[in-house]
Amino acid sequence: MTSDRTVMRDNIYSLPLNQIGSFDFDEQVVKVFPDMISRSVPGYASILSMIEQLATRFVRPGTAVWDLGCSLGAATQLIRRQAPLDCTIHAVDSSTAMIERLRTILAEGNDSGCIVMLHEKDLRNVEIHNATFVVLNLTLQFLPPAERTRVIENVWQGLLPGGALLLSEKICFDQPTQQQLMTDLHHDFKRAHGYSDLEVAQKRTAIENRLIPESLDTHLKRLKHAGFTTIAPWFQCFNFVSILAVRGE
Ligand code: GEK
C-alpha cells in the first residue's frame, strides 16, 4: 500500500466485467475510497463539515466519541480537532484494509489532539460507554435490517444524557415515482462527477445486496423506539439523509 496521500481516482468499474462480485471494502476500494465516496454521495463534504460543528456542541471533557464504520477516519479527524484533550475517540471498522490505512494516515499526519483508538471490529460487537457523540455516517445501511434496531439501542444505552447520535443513510421511498426520480437524480449526480453509465450500472449491481436502504420513516421510528427524545433530520440531498438524535437529559 502506498504511503503518500495522493487521492487516487476510482475507476474500479470503468471496464466491462464478466462477473460482478459483491462489493467489498478491500484494498482496491481503500486506495480510491476518498474519491469514490465524494463522487458517489451527494452532500458528503457538507455532512462531514457539520459533524465537526456538532462535535463542538456535544463532545464534553472526559467523555468518549464513537465513529462506527469510520473508514479512513474522515469524521474522526474532524471531531478530533474539536474534542477536549482528555476525550477518547474510538474509531471502529470491520475492514482490515481500512483500519490499516487509517493507522498509517494517523501516524503520518501532523494532527495532534485527544487519543484515537482504532478497533478492527464489527460494530455490532462494540460496547459503547461514557459517550457524548456517536457517529454512524453511511454505515448502518450495510448491516442486515433485522440487526439495526439492536445497534441503535446499544448506541442509546452508551450515550450519556444530552449526548447525540449522528446517523447518515441512503434511503428509499414508498412512492414508486419518487423512488425512481431520486434514483435518477443520484445517478445524474454520479455522471456529473465523471462516472460513466457503465460504471454506474456495474457499481449498482455490486452493491445491490450489500447496501439495503430503508425509508426515513423507518429510521425515525427506530430512533424513537430506542428512546431518543429529539430526532431531527437536518440534511437531505436526493436519496441521502442525515439525522441528529439526542438522548434526553
Ligand atoms: C466516513 N463513515 O467517511 N462493522 C464495522 N464496520 C462496518 C460494518 C460493520 N458491521 N459494515 C460496514 N462497515 C465513513 C464512511 S463507508 C460508507 C463509511 C460507504 C464499514 C465498512 O468497512 C466501511 O468502511 C464503512 O462501514 C462504510 O464518514 O462506503 O458508502
Side-chain angles (χ1 to χ4, degrees):
M1 188 161 298
T2 59
S3 64
D4 68 79
R5 291 232 205 179
T6 317
V7 176
M8 287 174 65
R9 191 158 174 92
D10 168 27
N11 57 12
I12 293 175
Y13 295 102
S14 60
L15 298 174
L17 299 167
N18 289 333
Q19 223 187 347
I20 303 172
S22 181
F23 186 80
D24 199 12
F25 291 99
D26 55 14
E27 277 195 31
Q28 186 191 25
V29 166
V30 166
K31 279 185 187 153
V32 299
F33 186 75
D35 177 69
M36 172 186 280
I37 195 159
S38 58
R39 291 198 290 131
S40 301
V41 177
Y44 176 68
S46 303
I47 294 172
L48 281 179
S49 112
M50 291 310 141
I51 286 175
E52 181 171 6
Q53 182 186 320
L54 292 168
T56 64
R57 171 174 287 263
F58 288 103
V59 182
R60 298 204 299 267
T63 66
V65 174
W66 298 78
D67 183 5
L68 302 174
C70 59
S71 298
L72 298 182
T76 286
Q77 291 173 81
L78 292 170
I79 295 165
R80 194 182 192 198
R81 299 208 301 216
Q82 304 303 331
L85 284 175
D86 60 355
C87 287
T88 301
I89 303 175
H90 297 276
V92 180
D93 206 289
S94 53
S95 156
T96 306
M98 283 289 184
I99 289 289
E100 283 313 309
R101 179 73 185 127
L102 176 54
R103 203 181 301 285
T104 308
I105 290 170
L106 292 176
E108 288 179 351
N110 296 320
D111 306 335
S112 58
C114 70
I115 291 172
V116 177
M117 290 187 67
L118 302 189
H119 306 268
E120 184 193 326
K121 208 167 175 179
D122 192 311
L123 69 91
R124 286 168 286 189
N125 301 329
V126 294
E127 200 210 315
I128 296 165
H129 50 86
N130 193 34
T132 43
F133 194 34
V134 178
V135 173
L136 273 167
N137 195 31
L138 304 160
T139 304
L140 194 70
Q141 59 196 15
F142 290 105
L143 299 189
E147 299 186 34
R148 297 178 188 180
T149 297
R150 196 171 59 81
V151 169
I152 296 296
E153 286 172 355
N154 185 33
V155 169
W156 186 85
Q157 273 162 11
L159 278 168
L160 296 170
L165 164 67
L166 184 289
L167 173 67
S168 307
E169 287 278 292
K170 185 177 187 185
I171 57 165
C172 62
F173 302 87
D174 293 336
Q175 197 193 43
T177 53
Q178 190 179 6
Q179 175 63 35
Q180 190 59 56
L181 179 59
M182 291 301 142
T183 303
D184 290 348
L185 289 171
H186 178 216
H187 291 169
D188 288 350
F189 171 91
K190 293 185 78 164
R191 279 188 286 266
H193 287 81
Y195 285 116
S196 66
D197 289 340
L198 179 69
E199 285 175 296
V200 171
Q202 294 194 133
K203 173 76 179 282
R204 192 180 188 184
T205 303
I207 211 149
E208 208 154 42
N209 299 318
R210 279 288 276 128
L211 191 169
I212 301 168
E214 296 173 302
S215 70
L216 178 58
D217 197 45
T218 300
H219 286 294
L220 299 181
K221 283 191 175 128
R222 181 183 289 123
L223 291 164
K224 189 163 184 234
H225 187 257
F228 287 95
T229 47
T230 305
I231 302 163
W234 64 272
F235 174 91
Q236 179 169 351
C237 186
F238 309 141
N239 44 0
F240 289 84
V241 296
S242 190
I243 306 164
L244 181 64
V246 182
R247 178 174 171 159
E249 295 282 353

